[in-house]
Amino acid sequence: QQQVKQSPQSLIVQKGGISIINCAYENTAFDYFPWYQQFPGKGPALLIAIRPDVSEKKEGRFTISFNKSAKQFSLHIMDSQPGDSATYFCAAAGTSYGKLTFGQGTILTVHP
Amino acid sequence: DAGITQSPRHKVTETGTPVTLRCHQTENHRYMYWYRQDPGHGLRLIHYSYGVKDTDKGEVSDGYSVSRSKTEDFLLTLESATSSQTSVYFCAIRAGGDSNQPQHFGDGTRLSIL
């Protein structure tokens, strides 16, 4: 049972373009929504996170947009760079021990 | 880095053998987690711990057991490994408190079961 659905599976963007990755969740008890970035051979690293009491959070070139009524959230990477090429995971957690439910992942390739 | 060491980093073993993976943290965090990563599935929670000797099952716990006898160590055991347990295993830690305390991950153990 996949409670967090992520799309697209893969994404190719030109340098300087905008990368957009979308996630949808089912469990209304989720109250914490992080995004992780993973490079080959490494563990996922926290990129940015949001709580459902705000609709948008921005950190540098990375922005999370959150739509509570639609149960959807998305990651926008502005001015995408080749160094952003990685796998991105959305996730969600409720109050129960901080357990994360992950989306399936998106492989982002940024061409120079 | 978040002070998490996973060992071994790579292991190849045969079906039916027992396997133990170790996660060691230097952060004195209360919560520890084991996930497996498989293509098309993202990361899925196997077991987690909320204190010494306090553990519980996650989404995909069948065939796995865990132990936590010290704050810093969380062990994952495959009692009799099967080919379906070939995967990359990640340990994560979290300080606790508020539910939005972030989880930090180790660099994983790549396990192949032949």
Side-chain angles (χ1 to χ4, degrees), chain A residues 38-64:
Chain A
Q38 184 182 31
F39 294 105
K42 305 292 283 186
L46 181 67
L47 191 61
I48 187 172
I50 198 168
R51 293 293 296 268
D53 52 349
V54 298
S55 61
E56 185 175 284
K57 183 175 181 180
K58 182 177 181 180
E59 292 184 1
R61 295 184 295 109
F62 301 91
T63 299
I64 300 178

Side-chain angles (χ1 to χ4, degrees), chain A residues 21-32:
Chain A
I21 304 170
N22 301 298
C23 284
Y25 64 97
E26 300 169 4
N27 188 345
T28 56
F30 289 148
D31 67 352
Y32 173 64

Side-chain angles (χ1 to χ4, degrees), chain B residues 82-104:
Chain B
T82 67
S83 59
S84 64
Q85 294 175 310
T86 292
S87 187
V88 182
Y89 291 86
F90 288 98
C91 172
I93 64 174
R94 187 173 75 95
D98 197 344
S99 62
N100 65 354
Q101 283 287 317
Q103 286 189 28
H104 298 284

Side-chain angles (χ1 to χ4, degrees), chain B residues 18-74:
Chain B
V19 178
T20 295
L21 308 183
R22 181 184 184 229
C23 179
H24 178 79
Q25 61 146 330
T26 58
E27 306 296 321
N28 199 38
H29 282 356
R30 177 182 175 188
Y31 293 89
M32 298 185 76
Y33 308 82
W34 277 108
Y35 294 87
R36 60 178 289 175
Q37 182 176 13
D38 305 288
H41 291 277
L43 286 85
R44 292 178 292 175
L45 182 65
I46 305 171
H47 280 279
Y48 63 100
S49 171
Y50 47 96
V52 173
K53 299 190 187 303
D54 292 323
T55 66
D56 205 348
K57 297 178 180 180
E59 177 188 357
V60 290
S61 60
D62 286 349
Y64 302 95
S65 62
V66 291
S67 65
R68 191 170 179 199
S69 58
K70 300 183 291 185
T71 297
E72 58 265 35
D73 289 326
F74 193 32

Side-chain angles (χ1 to χ4, degrees), chain A residues 57-76:
Chain A
K57 183 175 181 180
K58 182 177 181 180
E59 292 184 1
R61 295 184 295 109
F62 301 91
T63 299
I64 300 178
S65 297
F66 187 85
N67 185 330
K68 186 174 181 178
S69 61
K71 293 187 287 186
Q72 295 176 347
F73 57 111
S74 61
L75 176 69
H76 295 234

